[in-house]
Amino acid sequence: MRNSEQCPHGAIAKRRKVPKISLCNLPMDILSMILSLLPINDAVRTSVLSKKLKRVWCSHNNLTFDKGTMRKTYFRPSTGYYGVLRAKEFITKVDAVLHQHSGMGVEHMEIKFGLHSKRADHIDKWVNFAIASRTKEFVIDLSGRPKSTYFGELSCGNKRISSEEPYNLPSQLFSPSNGSYLQCLELRTLCVQLPSDFKGFLNLKSLSLVDVRITDEDVHSVLSKCNLLEFFEIAYCRMVTRIRMLHSLDRLKHLVVDICPKLQEIELNCSPTTLKYVGAFIPLISVSTSRLTNISIVFLTYQSSLSYIATGFPSTSPRLETLTLLCYEHEKTIVPEGPFKFTYLQNLRLELVISDYGKIDVLDYAYLLKIAPFMETLELPMWMVGRNRPYCKEDGELRIGLPHKHTHLKSVRISGFFGHKDQVELSIHILRSSIALEKMEITPKLEISNNLALHDCCYEKPHYVDGHRIATEFVCKADYRNVVNVVKVPSSLEPSAAAMEA
């Protein structure tokens, strides 16, 4: 029976015909939601299916234009999409999409492609489209490269890679009526010159300036006239010498300052909850740090970490809970005296690049246990620059002083452990002092952030093997609670097991 089936009790019942569901029959709001999840290039291609779908994509609220969404349509099953997307093709595709779009309901518009001032006519049209469509989130990144490449370029003092003149953002974006809808603005690799009558962005909550040619005065003007700002990032801006927030920014929660090579001073009239800074050691002045709970700082110049922690900016933050600090050490640290203590600090990551090992005593960092009595996690990535031999009996007896009773420390990780005498002494001191310790991991692997330990391969074989051997022989021997785990890191210079079997 083609249209019927036998029921369990012998009765004959007709099969129910399940109606076919067509994509075009779905409600407009559901279609709009589905298409909003597609890259704009794929959303545009759905218009060939029906007039209804064409109407839907023309109101696409997420317009992201980059190499992925504007990719070439040549496809090979083995390699995927191929073919280099050139600037002229990218511009043509973006122009075509915006020409067909309704220009209404745009929540997010993003342009990410390597372009410069010679393409200003086209970029101006895209900016005007964002203004006319009342876009809430606008990202314009004309660098054509990953953000991570800036760090290597500027931390080494290199000049700009591109010799082309950057695009100048049109002044109409900064008029009170045109910018009033913006809630998020991200600018990269372009010029910004504020008009003299700039009144600010009334609803802007997030602002990111990366590799932007902008003056100190314009930075100050933006910060003083965007009262709802919650997130502010300024990175790799080569003209900026001072960041001043003389106007109170009560809503600012997150501040990021990343390698502005000419920067000399930061003056804040706000109390963010998180602060991230990368660059040379400069004065950091703040009217209030009452809300600051998370600080991350990378100093690219020599600076004593213990002195900075105890007497520098972190010590002015009474409610600090998490501190990440990277310092280049080249002189013996003078441990500060006094009753100062962090009463809220729970998480500390101190990265140490020790460039003149003979002058530094790693055991001095036991001072951290005294000034952070409520610390629960401690990370100590180290990079001992130099070819000093690991500890042996000829170096004398290990210094084992009276342990400092620490009742809160539960987790410790020490990396870059090459087995030097003072590394062993510090590890044993922390082990003996931390009565609540649940785990201590020791690894010889270099784990310095931002890829600063570029010469890892030069140290791998001898130091990785020595570090593991010394930690196992001396630190594990002092472990009576079985909380120490020494991680063995295979050297890339050693043959793998598979290679040996072959």
Side-chain angles (χ1 to χ4, degrees):
M1 297 181 185
R2 187 169 299 173
N3 295 320
S4 62
E5 59 183 6
Q6 187 73 30
C7 290
H9 301 290
I12 303 297
K14 290 185 178 181
R15 282 184 179 174
R16 294 179 179 177
K17 291 185 178 180
V18 179
K20 294 182 179 179
I21 299 176
S22 171
L23 186 65
C24 300
N25 293 335
L26 294 174
M28 291 289 285
D29 56 341
I30 295 180
L31 284 174
S32 180
M33 182 187 68
I34 293 173
L35 264 63
S36 68
L37 301 175
L38 296 176
I40 186 63
N41 203 35
D42 293 334
V44 171
R45 294 170 67 186
T46 64
S47 62
V48 301
L49 300 177
S50 72
K51 292 182 179 180
K52 184 177 182 180
L53 284 171
K54 184 176 182 179
R55 291 197 303 272
V56 172
W57 93 254
C58 284
S59 298
H60 203 60
N61 64 2
N62 183 2
L63 302 178
T64 300
F65 303 105
D66 56 27
K67 292 179 180 179
T69 59
M70 296 286 103
R71 63 178 181 259
K72 289 194 171 186
T73 54
Y74 313 126
F75 184 81
R76 288 177 181 168
S78 58
T79 60
Y81 293 94
Y82 68 97
V84 177
L85 184 64
R86 302 188 183 278
K88 186 176 180 180
E89 296 171 288
F90 178 82
I91 290 171
T92 301
K93 289 189 173 187
V94 174
D95 286 344
V97 170
L98 296 183
H99 179 72
Q100 298 178 64
H101 197 276
S102 66
M104 298 175 61
V106 178
E107 295 284 330
H108 179 90
M109 182 171 173
E110 184 171 338
I111 301 165
K112 297 183 70 174
F113 200 84
L115 299 170
H116 44 77
S117 59
K118 291 182 180 179
R119 309 287 185 175
D121 291 346
H122 296 280
I123 306 173
D124 284 345
K125 293 179 183 177
W126 305 341
V127 174
N128 289 331
F129 177 90
I131 294 172
S133 62
R134 299 179 177 180
T135 301
K136 295 179 180 178
E137 299 176 357
F138 188 33
V139 179
I140 178 165
D141 175 3
L142 305 181
S143 66
R145 59 189 177 121
K147 186 179 177 181
S148 58
T149 60
Y150 290 99
F151 182 89
E153 176 186 336
L154 286 178
S155 62
C156 298
N158 296 334
K159 295 182 179 180
R160 183 184 298 274
I161 292 177
S162 175
S163 59
E164 299 288 351
E165 189 68 18
Y167 168 73
N168 199 341
L169 202 63
S171 59
Q172 56 263 35
L173 179 66
F174 303 101
S175 71
S177 57
N178 291 338
S180 61
Y181 299 95
L182 278 174
Q183 296 180 12
C184 174
L185 180 62
E186 297 182 23
L187 306 176
R188 187 186 300 186
T189 312
L190 44 76
C191 293
V192 170
Q193 291 179 306
L194 297 181
S196 57
D197 60 346
F198 178 65
K199 303 298 183 183
F201 296 110
L202 297 179
N203 295 293
L204 191 67
K205 295 181 179 180
S206 177
L207 175 62
S208 176
L209 306 175
V210 178
D211 189 27
V212 173
R213 186 180 293 180
I214 186 171
T215 65
D216 292 354
E217 292 75 18
D218 283 348
V219 172
H220 171 63
S221 181
V222 168
L223 294 176
S224 63
K225 297 176 182 178
C226 297
N227 296 324
L228 298 186
L229 206 59
E230 297 177 0
F231 174 91
F232 176 59
E233 175 187 27
I234 183 165
Y236 316 117
C237 294
R238 303 162 203 251
M239 292 176 58
V240 174
T241 63
R242 285 179 175 81
I243 298 173
R244 305 178 70 195
M245 300 182 186
L246 302 182
H247 179 78
S248 179
L249 285 173
D250 295 331
R251 294 175 179 260
L252 189 68
K253 298 177 181 178
H254 310 286
L255 174 62
V256 179
V257 181
D258 205 344
I259 309 190
C260 296
K262 294 184 179 181
L263 188 62
Q264 300 173 13
E265 184 183 68
I266 300 176
E267 186 175 351
L268 308 178
N269 190 2
C270 63
S271 182
T273 56
T274 64
L275 168 66
K276 177 183 177 183
Y277 173 78
V278 180
F281 176 75
I282 61 171
L284 182 54
I285 305 167
S286 180
V287 173
S288 172
T289 57
S290 60
R291 295 189 304 180
L292 191 57
T293 59
N294 191 325
I295 297 177
S296 175
I297 295 177
V298 175
F299 284 133
L300 299 176
T301 52
Y302 290 115
Q303 174 62 38
S304 168
S305 57
L306 291 181
S307 176
Y308 183 72
I309 290 174
T311 62
F313 183 75
S315 65
T316 67
S317 307
R319 302 191 67 86
L320 185 62
E321 297 176 3
T322 300
L323 173 62
T324 301
L325 177 64
L326 185 151
C327 284
Y328 284 78
E329 304 269 8
H330 74 298
E331 294 181 350
K332 181 173 175 59
T333 300
I334 300 175
V335 179
E337 297 292 338
F340 172 78
K341 284 181 172 57
F342 289 99
T343 54
Y344 286 87
L345 187 63
Q346 298 178 10
N347 310 295
L348 173 60
R349 178 181 174 91
L350 178 58
E351 302 189 38
L352 301 168
V353 180
I354 301 176
S355 60
D356 194 345
Y357 178 68
K359 297 179 181 178
I360 305 296
D361 187 354
V362 174
L363 185 57
D364 286 341
Y365 298 101
Y367 176 69
L368 298 172
L369 301 183
K370 295 182 180 179
I371 62 173
F374 300 100
M375 177 171 56
E376 296 181 1
T377 63
L378 173 63
E379 295 180 66
L380 287 172
M382 289 182 266
W383 182 18
M384 316 293 282
V385 182
R387 297 183 176 275
N388 298 283
R389 62 189 178 91
Y391 172 65
C392 60
K393 294 295 184 181
E394 287 75 14
D395 295 329
E397 294 294 326
L398 292 172
R399 293 171 293 173
I400 306 297
L402 293 175
H404 174 81
K405 188 176 181 181
H406 198 290
T407 58
H408 289 77
L409 189 59
K410 298 178 181 179
S411 175
V412 176
R413 181 174 178 85
I414 302 174
S415 58
F417 186 95
F418 291 167
H420 301 312
K421 182 184 177 184
D422 50 358
Q423 286 185 312
V424 177
E425 292 166 337
L426 176 64
S427 301
I428 293 177
H429 179 83
I430 295 174
L431 177 64
R432 295 180 62 201
S433 299
S434 308
I435 61 177
L437 193 63
E438 297 175 357
K439 65 175 181 177
M440 172 185 278
E441 287 189 344
I442 300 176
T443 175
K445 184 174 177 59
L446 295 177
E447 295 179 349
I448 299 295
S449 60
N450 296 304
N451 294 318
L452 289 174
L454 297 177
H455 305 292
D456 190 342
C457 58
C458 300
Y459 295 88
E460 270 191 353
K461 189 171 183 178
H463 291 295
Y464 281 13
V465 173
D466 290 338
H468 182 273
R469 176 177 60 83
I470 295 298
T472 302
E473 181 177 350
F474 292 98
V475 183
C476 289
K477 186 178 179 181
D479 177 21
Y480 301 107
R481 291 170 289 169
N482 197 28
V483 295
V484 177
N485 176 31
V486 182
V487 181
K488 185 175 182 180
V489 182
S491 171
S492 61
L493 302 178
E494 296 177 350
S496 64
M500 295 178 67
E501 291 177 1

